[in-house]
Amino acid sequence: MENGTLAYIDYVAKVKDTGEVLEATREADAKNLGVFDPTERYSPRLVAVGEGWVLKGLDEALAKASVGEKLTVEVPPEKGFGVRDPSKVKLINEKKFGEKAHDLFVGAEVEVDGKVGTVRYMGSGRVQVDFNHRLAGKTIVYELEVVRTVTEPLEMAKALLGRRLFIPEDKLNLNIEGDIATIVLPEEAFLLEGLQFVKRAVSSDLFKFLKALKAVRFIEEYKSPEAEKPKEASHPAGAEPQEAAPPTEKA
C-alpha cells in the first residue's frame, strides 16, 4: 500500500517474550485471549500508511502489504517503544513526593517534574523511578489482517471523523458539497473533553487527505425535547376516538 493510504486493519498485539496481550481489535479474539472489556468498542483500526499513526516497524510492514493479506509482524524495540535507557532510571528522595509518599508502592505510576514513570524500588527514604516506557526494550508481535482500504471521499471523511470523535457512526452527520465539508455534531459530542481541539484536528486531517476541500464547517445541533416525543393521533375537540371496525370476512 502506498504512503497516505487509509486502511482498516484487524490485529492482536502481544509482547513477544511474555505473551502479554496488549490489544485486540476483534471481540472474539479478546474473549478467547481473556482480555475482553465490555466498555471497549471492538472494530478494525483505521491507519494511514506511512503517517506514523502506528509503531514504525508496523508502518513499514503495512507499506508492503495488500488488502486481504494476513501477516505476522515482529516490531523490534528500536522500531517500537524504544530501547531501554539506564539513564532514565532515577533515585529520588521520598520527600519530593510530599504527602503522596505514603501512597507509593512498587509498580505505581508517578509523575515527577512533568515526566511519568514507574516505581521500581523503595527503601531508606528513597524511591527508584523508571522513566522508560513500560514496553521499552520489548519486541511487539502483531498478527494482523488488512481488511480494506478507503478511497471514496465521503467514506474517507467519515473514517477520519470517527477516528477523532468516539461516537457511533450512525450518529455522525457529514456531507460534502463541492469543496466544503459540513459536519453536524450531535449533542453527545458537546460534552467531549477538548472539543475545540478535536474540531481543529478533524479539519487538519480532512484537508490533508482530501486535497480538494477548501473549508470545513461544524454545526452544533440541539433538538427540542418536544421533537423527541412520539406524535399522538389527534381527534376533533370533544370527539371520542373510535375503535377500528373489524375486518370484513370473505364469503
Side-chain angles (χ1 to χ4, degrees):
M1 294 185 287
E2 296 181 358
N3 281 352
T5 299
L6 292 178
Y8 282 104
I9 62 173
D10 267 321
Y11 61 83
V12 172
K14 297 180 180 180
V15 178
K16 183 177 181 179
D17 60 354
T18 65
E20 177 191 355
V21 179
L22 301 176
E23 189 177 5
T25 60
R26 295 188 185 95
E27 183 174 320
D29 287 337
K31 288 180 176 178
N32 290 336
L33 294 166
V35 295
F36 175 71
D37 181 351
T39 65
E40 185 73 27
R41 187 175 68 180
Y42 292 94
S43 62
R45 176 66 54 84
L46 179 71
V47 297
V49 179
E51 293 294 327
W53 290 10
V54 294
L55 297 179
K56 182 179 180 181
L58 178 57
D59 226 352
E60 292 176 351
L62 290 173
K64 302 173 184 176
S66 55
V67 175
E69 185 176 357
K70 295 181 180 180
L71 59 157
T72 299
V73 179
E74 287 198 7
V75 179
E78 58 271 20
K79 292 186 178 182
F81 292 98
V83 178
R84 283 191 59 78
D85 181 355
S87 69
K88 291 184 178 180
V89 180
K90 306 291 185 181
L91 205 56
I92 301 171
N93 193 306
E94 194 176 82
K95 293 180 180 179
K96 188 174 181 66
F97 297 94
E99 295 181 357
K100 294 182 179 180
H102 299 292
D103 301 324
L104 295 179
F105 57 90
V106 174
E109 189 175 89
V110 295
E111 184 174 338
V112 182
D113 298 332
K115 296 184 294 183
V116 177
T118 303
V119 175
R120 298 299 184 196
Y121 167 82
M122 297 176 62
S124 303
R126 295 185 296 178
V127 181
Q128 187 187 69
V129 181
D130 185 353
F131 291 102
N132 284 285
H133 189 285
R134 80 173 190 88
L135 295 173
K138 303 292 186 181
T139 294
I140 310 301
V141 179
Y142 288 87
E143 297 285 346
L144 70 88
E145 177 182 3
V146 181
V147 180
R148 63 189 178 92
T149 56
V150 186
T151 57
E152 195 275 322
L154 184 58
E155 187 182 8
M156 290 172 68
K158 287 183 176 180
L160 292 167
L161 179 60
R163 175 175 176 257
R164 301 284 187 178
L165 281 174
F166 301 107
I167 292 173
E169 188 173 336
D170 60 348
K171 293 189 177 182
L172 295 178
N173 186 343
L174 185 150
N175 185 45
I176 297 177
E177 290 188 8
D179 57 6
I180 298 175
T182 301
I183 300 167
V184 181
L185 296 175
E187 290 188 49
E188 293 95 317
F190 303 161
L191 299 178
L192 289 176
E193 185 176 348
L195 180 58
Q196 295 305 315
F197 172 80
V198 170
K199 288 159 68 173
R200 183 177 293 275
V202 167
S203 299
S204 178
D205 287 344
L206 293 178
F207 290 137
K208 182 171 187 174
F209 291 95
L210 298 173
K211 303 296 185 184
L213 282 185
K214 296 293 188 293
V216 177
R217 295 173 179 168
F218 290 91
I219 298 175
E220 296 184 1
E221 183 176 74
Y222 296 82
K223 291 185 178 180
S224 163
E226 295 299 320
E228 300 293 329
K229 294 181 180 179
K231 293 183 178 180
E232 297 181 358
S234 59
H235 304 284
E240 293 292 332
Q242 297 182 354
E243 294 184 2
T248 303
E249 295 184 3
K250 292 184 179 180

